[in-house]
Amino acid sequence: MNWKNYKNLNAADKANEAYYIIGLDIGNHSTGIAFYNISDGDAEVIDLSGGYGKPSIPTVMQYIAENKEWVFGEYALLNSGANNGVIITAMVERLGRFDHIDVDGRSISVANILGMFIKEILSNVKNINPNGEIVGIVAAIPAYLSQQAQEELTRAFKIAGYEKELIALVPDRECALASHYRQPPMDKELALVVDFGGRELCGGLYEVAAVDGRIVATSMSSVFNNIVSVAAINQEVSKLFESYLDSETDRLNEHVLGFTHQHKDMLFQKGIRQKPIKLYFNFLYPPVQQTIEHKQVLELVFPYLRGFNGFINDVLDKSLSAKPIRPRDVGLIMCVGGGFEMLWARDAVAEFFPAAKFYKNPKMVVTEGAALVAARRLGIAELPEILLEDRHQLTGDIGITSGDAFLPLVERNSFWWQQHKPKLVLVNEAVSGEVSFTLEKRNTSGEATSIGQVKIDGLPKRPKGATRLEIGVSFLSNKEFNLNVKDIGFGELFPRVDYEQVVGMEL
C-alpha cells in the first residue's frame, strides 16, 4: 500500500494488525529491522537470525554460480569460502559511485544488488504474519551518505518493489534521538551520540530542548576517526589467522573473512576475562588449533581503546559551546553501531560518563528509532517531531559558476571538518596573469546564493584552454574556509609552475 493512502485512513482502519510500519537501519556491515507495534505503542525488533544469534545480520550478498542462486546475510558470509560464488560486501559505502559488480558474465549495479538484499530483509514481515502488508518504511542513513548515494539507495528500494512504501530516508542521528525522546525534555540537556560502525567512529554533541511541542537538537560538536573502526578491528583479528595460510588465494581470504566474523565474538565482542581461548582452524588441512591468551587480547584492544579515549576527549573539547564541556555536563549517552557490541567499547564510555543515562542495546537503537519516526509521520503515534539544527553539516553544494555551468567543489550533506578532495578546473579562456570566477552555494532546489567573486593573480601567460588549476576547499570553522589554488600545467608545452594561492572566504 502506498504510505500516503495509509496515512489518510481513519484511526480504526489504521489499527489493523496486518499493517506493518517498518524502521530499517541498513549499515555498511550489518542491518537491522523493527516494526511499530500498534497494540503496544512501541517499536519492536524483528530477529533476523531466527533466534540463534544477534538480531541484526551482515549486509552481505553472495551469488552462487553453480545453481545461479543469491543468498544473503549470515549464510552468505559464513558460506563465502565454501564455493566459487561472488560475495558482495560494503554496499552502502559504494553507493553514489555507480559501482558495478561482474556476476556470472553480467555487470550488475551495486544499487540493484542492494535492492535484492532489501527485498529479502523485508520478506521477514511475512514470517511474523503471512498476511502482513508493509504500509510505510523509514530507512536510517549514515551521515556520510552523499546526495548521489541517497538517490541510488532510493532506487534500490524501487528495485526491491517498495518505492511507494518508502516514506523517507532519515539521518541515523535523528532516529537515535527519537528512540529515547518520546516526549520533549523538561529542561535543556546535552546528549552525546556516538556511532561506532564499520566505516569509522563518529560522534556528535547536541543541545536538546523543547520548542513549541517539538524537540530541537542543535549540533555543538562533530568529530570522526576512521582509524578506530569495526573494519580495522576485523583486519587486525584476521592477522591472527593469516599466518597459518600458505597462499594468498581469494578462496582462503574468503575463509578468513568468515572465520573472523565468527571468532571476533569470542575475542573482541565478549572479551576474554583472564581466561585463554582455543580457536580451531577447520578450513585448513590438516586442521590446526591456536590458543589466545588474555594478554594477547589486551594487546589487540589497547591501540583502539587509546584512540577511542582520545576521540571522546576531542568530541568534548572541539565544541561550539562558549564554555568548556565536562563529562558531568552530558546528560544522555547514545551508543549506536555494531562496534558497541564489544564490551570494551561500552566500558570505555561508561568510565567517561559514570553518572549519565546510557543505552545498553546499541545496534537496535537506530532501528527502533526509525520505526518510531515512521509511525509519527503516518499519524499512528503521538510522538514529538525532532528537528536537527546541524552547524557542522553543509546544507548546499559549494562550487564555481561560469555562465550556466556549475562545478561543485564541496557536496551538500558533507561535514565542514572533513577533507574535501580538490577538483581540476580547465580555464576556458586566455590567461594573462589573472583569472576571476564566482563562487556560489546551491541548495537542494538548485537555488543559488553568491558567496563572492574570486580573483587569482600571478598565473603564467597561456593561450585559451591551456591552463589547468587544482582547486581545493579547506574549512577553518563552520563558516570560514580557504580556497587552495595550484597550477598543474597542461602537457609538455605548458608545464606546471610552482604556483599556489590561498583565498579566504566566508559563508
Side-chain angles (χ1 to χ4, degrees):
M1 181 188 292
N2 188 315
W3 68 267
K4 295 177 182 177
N5 294 338
Y6 174 83
K7 186 176 182 179
N8 292 327
L9 294 177
N10 60 51
D13 291 336
K14 281 184 179 179
N16 188 330
E17 292 187 358
Y19 291 148
Y20 281 84
I21 300 168
I22 298 296
L24 266 182
D25 178 16
I26 308 174
N28 201 42
H29 285 259
S30 61
T31 293
I33 180 173
F35 72 97
Y36 182 74
N37 190 321
I38 297 174
S39 300
D40 296 342
D42 205 352
E44 187 173 325
V45 173
I46 298 174
D47 187 348
L48 297 175
S49 72
Y52 291 98
K54 300 167 189 169
S56 60
I57 63 168
T59 309
V60 178
M61 287 289 285
Q62 184 192 30
Y63 179 76
I64 304 173
E66 287 83 352
N67 52 11
K68 300 186 182 301
E69 178 188 8
W70 285 94
V71 294
F72 73 103
E74 198 93 18
Y75 181 74
L77 190 58
L78 299 182
N79 189 50
S80 59
N83 54 60
N84 294 320
V86 179
I87 185 166
I88 299 101
T89 60
M91 288 183 279
V92 174
E93 189 173 312
R94 297 184 187 189
L95 292 176
R97 306 176 192 170
F98 303 101
D99 276 3
H100 284 68
I101 308 292
D102 186 23
V103 179
D104 206 10
R106 296 176 298 151
S107 180
I108 303 178
S109 71
V110 170
N112 203 309
I113 297 170
L114 186 57
M116 290 188 281
F117 179 80
I118 291 170
K119 184 177 181 179
E120 294 288 353
I121 292 294
L122 293 174
S123 68
N124 282 271
V125 169
K126 296 292 183 182
N127 296 336
I128 303 173
N129 183 350
N131 299 318
E133 180 183 0
I134 294 175
V135 295
I137 304 168
V138 160
I141 58 171
Y144 62 79
L145 219 57
S146 67
Q147 188 66 30
Q148 290 90 336
Q150 292 182 42
E151 290 169 2
E152 277 205 274
L153 180 56
T154 302
R155 186 158 64 86
F157 275 94
K158 182 177 181 180
I159 291 165
Y162 290 98
E163 179 186 24
K164 294 180 180 178
E165 290 79 10
L166 181 63
I167 303 169
L169 305 177
V170 176
D172 49 9
R173 296 164 297 156
E174 180 181 333
C175 295
L177 292 169
S179 69
H180 174 76
Y181 289 103
R182 310 297 177 90
Q183 57 186 17
M186 298 295 293
D187 301 304
K188 282 185 181 179
E189 70 174 347
L190 286 177
L192 174 63
V193 180
V194 183
D195 187 345
F196 191 5
R199 191 175 191 266
E200 62 194 16
L201 173 65
C202 55
L205 192 64
Y206 296 87
E207 184 181 74
V208 182
V211 179
D212 299 328
R214 298 183 296 182
I215 296 172
V216 177
T218 304
S219 173
M220 302 302 292
S221 70
S222 190
V223 179
F224 80 106
N225 183 325
N226 56 17
I227 297 174
V228 181
S229 68
V230 174
I233 288 175
N234 283 345
Q235 188 175 10
E236 197 68 34
V237 174
S238 293
K239 290 178 183 177
L240 294 173
F241 314 139
E242 288 172 353
S243 60
Y244 289 88
L245 304 181
D246 295 328
S247 66
E248 294 292 328
T249 65
D250 291 340
R251 200 79 286 121
L252 287 175
N253 287 336
E254 288 176 356
H255 271 300
V256 169
L257 177 67
F259 197 74
T260 299
H261 174 73
Q262 284 181 297
H263 291 79
K264 186 183 67 177
D265 185 73
M266 301 179 189
L267 296 173
F268 273 101
Q269 303 291 89
K270 296 182 174 64
I272 302 173
R273 307 292 186 180
Q274 308 295 334
K275 187 177 179 182
I277 188 169
K278 292 183 178 180
L279 302 179
Y280 185 66
F281 298 73
N282 58 358
F283 57 85
L284 296 176
Y285 184 82
V288 296
Q289 187 172 278
Q290 182 182 6
T291 300
I292 307 294
E293 301 289 344
H294 176 65
K295 181 181 177 183
Q296 288 177 273
V297 174
L298 294 179
E299 290 173 351
L300 284 172
V301 171
F302 179 74
Y304 299 104
L305 180 61
R306 183 174 58 186
F308 193 94
N309 290 345
F311 164 82
I312 294 293
N313 282 322
D314 275 351
V315 173
L316 300 181
D317 292 343
K318 296 177 180 178
S319 169
L320 298 179
S321 173
K323 61 179 183 179
I325 301 295
R326 299 158 298 182
R328 66 172 178 265
D329 297 327
V330 181
L332 172 70
I333 313 297
M334 303 288 296
C335 293
V336 303
F340 280 111
E341 292 170 350
M342 296 182 266
L343 289 183
W344 69 265
R346 300 222 300 267
D347 290 347
V349 175
E351 286 180 13
F352 258 95
F353 308 98
K357 291 174 283 187
F358 179 61
Y359 258 95
K360 298 293 183 184
N361 187 15
K363 181 56 196 172
M364 292 300 145
V365 165
V366 173
T367 310
E368 292 174 349
L372 293 169
V373 171
R376 177 183 58 76
R377 293 198 178 196
L378 291 175
I380 196 69
E382 293 185 6
L383 296 167
E385 181 183 3
I386 295 179
L387 300 177
L388 289 180
E389 289 188 349
D390 203 331
R391 300 181 184 178
H392 296 266
Q393 201 166 9
L394 300 174
T395 57
D397 296 323
I398 296 173
I400 298 170
T401 298
S402 177
D404 294 330
F406 178 74
L407 173 66
L409 300 174
V410 180
E411 292 183 348
R412 59 181 177 270
N413 297 326
S414 60
F415 291 87
W416 64 264
W417 38 259
Q418 286 179 305
Q419 289 186 345
H420 305 282
K421 188 176 180 180
K423 300 292 177 67
L424 298 182
V425 178
L426 177 64
V427 181
N428 196 26
E429 61 183 45
V431 175
S432 58
E434 182 180 288
V435 172
S436 63
F437 53 84
T438 302
L439 205 65
E440 287 186 347
K441 178 181 177 182
R442 296 197 176 189
N443 62 20
T444 54
S445 303
E447 298 170 342
T449 303
S450 176
I451 296 175
Q453 192 77 7
V454 180
K455 289 185 178 181
I456 307 297
D457 53 20
L459 287 166
K461 292 184 179 181
R462 289 177 182 150
K464 179 180 178 181
T467 297
R468 288 192 305 167
L469 302 175
E470 180 187 88
I471 302 180
V473 175
S474 57
F475 278 85
L476 306 174
S477 71
N478 59 330
K479 294 182 179 179
E480 299 173 297
F481 64 93
N482 286 335
L483 280 183
N484 306 293
V485 183
K486 295 181 182 180
D487 175 74
I488 60 170
F490 196 89
E492 295 181 1
L493 290 176
F494 303 98
R496 67 189 303 164
V497 297
D498 188 17
Y499 174 89
E500 184 172 356
Q501 186 167 337
V502 178
V503 181
M505 307 291 292
E506 285 188 8
L507 285 176

